[in-house]
Amino acid sequence: DQQVKQNSPSLSVQEGRISILNCDYTNSMFDYFLWYKKYPAEGPTFLISISSIKDKNEDGRFTVFLNKSAKHLSLHIVPSQPGDSAVYFCAARVSSARQLTFGSGTQLTVLP
Amino acid sequence: EADIYQTPRYLVIGTGKKITLECSQTMGHDKMYWYQQDPGMELHLIHYSYGVNSTEKGDLSSESTVSRIRTEHFPLTLESARPSHTSQYLCASTTAGTGRATFFGQGTRLTVV
């Protein structure tokens, strides 16, 4: 049973526009959420995170929104740049457990 | 930038060989993890350690073993590699406390022929 789901395997966006990556989760015990970016043959790089006590966290071009009632979070990238093209993983954890549960990733392609 | 290193980056090896994937971090993190990822699939936790001499199996069953004799070092060993072990292996570490991110190494892409 997949506890963290990224239902869109791929997304294409024009440069300069907004990219919205979505993630759903089923485990209501998750209290911390993270987004990672991964290039081919590289390890995931941490992007941004959000605690369950917040509903929004912003860092430069990246904003993460959390809707606890819907068990949904999203990553907004604006404006999108070609260098943002990568696989984006949503991850979640229960603080006491420490290990992360990952979604299957969404391949973002930003077209110049 | 996180200081966590994995070697080798790529490894092609024959069936039946014993291999060790190295992972080291210089951040003094107490918690370390091994994840396995097949192309297009989610990362699955296969091993974790909360400190020296502490190792546990993760969510995904794996024939690999790990050891944690030193804080900075968390190697993964396959005693007899098989083609089904072909995958990408990612090592990660994090500090104690909430609100901290997990940092990953660059991964080892293993191919068993």
Side-chain angles (χ1 to χ4, degrees):
Chain A
D1 178 38
Q2 212 174 342
Q3 296 187 61
V4 178
K5 299 178 185 178
Q6 293 176 256
N7 292 316
S8 298
S10 63
L11 173 69
S12 290
V13 170
Q14 208 66 38
E15 181 179 4
R17 308 293 287 268
I18 184 170
S19 296
I20 301 176
L21 299 133
N22 293 303
C23 179
D24 297 293
Y25 62 96
T26 57
N27 187 346
S28 57
M29 299 296 291
F30 287 143
D31 56 8
Y32 199 71
F33 304 88
L34 307 93
W35 283 95
Y36 285 83
K37 175 180 178 180
K38 186 178 184 297
Y39 294 113
E42 299 282 337
T45 303
F46 169 71
L47 265 181
I48 192 168
S49 61
I50 187 167
S51 164
S52 59
I53 63 173
K54 302 175 104 173
D55 54 18
K56 176 183 174 181
N57 189 25
E58 192 172 348
D59 183 2
R61 296 187 298 114
F62 302 93
T63 303
V64 56
F65 295 92
L66 176 63
N67 182 335
K68 288 188 292 294
S69 61
K71 293 192 178 69
H72 176 85
L73 65 155
S74 60
L75 174 68
H76 292 210
I77 306 172
V78 56
S80 301
Q81 300 172 354
D84 295 331
S85 297
V87 177
Y88 288 79
F89 286 95
C90 168
R93 74 165 180 243
V94 177
S95 291
S96 58
R98 294 289 182 264
Q99 59 257 35
L100 296 171
T101 300
F102 283 85
S104 54
T106 297
Q107 170 70 58
L108 173 66
T109 303
V110 179
L111 304 167
Chain B
E1 190 167 323
D3 295 318
I4 179 165
Y5 307 100
Q6 287 184 245
T7 57
R9 291 285 308 278
Y10 303 93
L11 179 62
V12 180
I13 201 162
T15 298
K17 298 290 186 183
K18 177 180 178 179
I19 57 170
T20 296
L21 308 184
E22 300 289 346
C23 176
S24 295
Q25 50 96 4
T26 58
M27 300 169 284
H29 288 172
D30 49 359
K31 296 174 177 55
M32 296 187 74
Y33 312 86
W34 277 101
Y35 288 86
Q36 183 176 342
Q37 188 198 16
D38 294 322
M41 304 296 288
E42 61 265 37
L43 283 76
H44 288 289
L45 181 70
I46 52 174
H47 298 283
Y48 62 97
S49 167
Y50 284 178
V52 171
N53 294 324
S54 154
T55 62
E56 300 287 344
K57 291 216 178 267
D59 305 323
L60 181 69
S61 175
S62 173
E63 293 166 346
S64 58
T65 59
V66 292
S67 63
R68 190 86 182 276
I69 298 171
R70 303 198 314 268
T71 299
E72 62 271 22
H73 195 213
F74 191 39
L76 180 145
T77 299
L78 277 164
E79 290 293 332
S80 180
R82 295 208 300 269
S84 60
H85 297 140
T86 296
S87 189
Q88 186 177 37
Y89 293 83
L90 292 154
C91 180
S93 72
T94 189
T95 57
T98 58
R100 298 300 181 104
T102 298
F103 295 98
F104 285 82
Q106 292 188 300
T108 295
R109 185 165 293 283
L110 173 66
T111 303
V112 184
V113 297

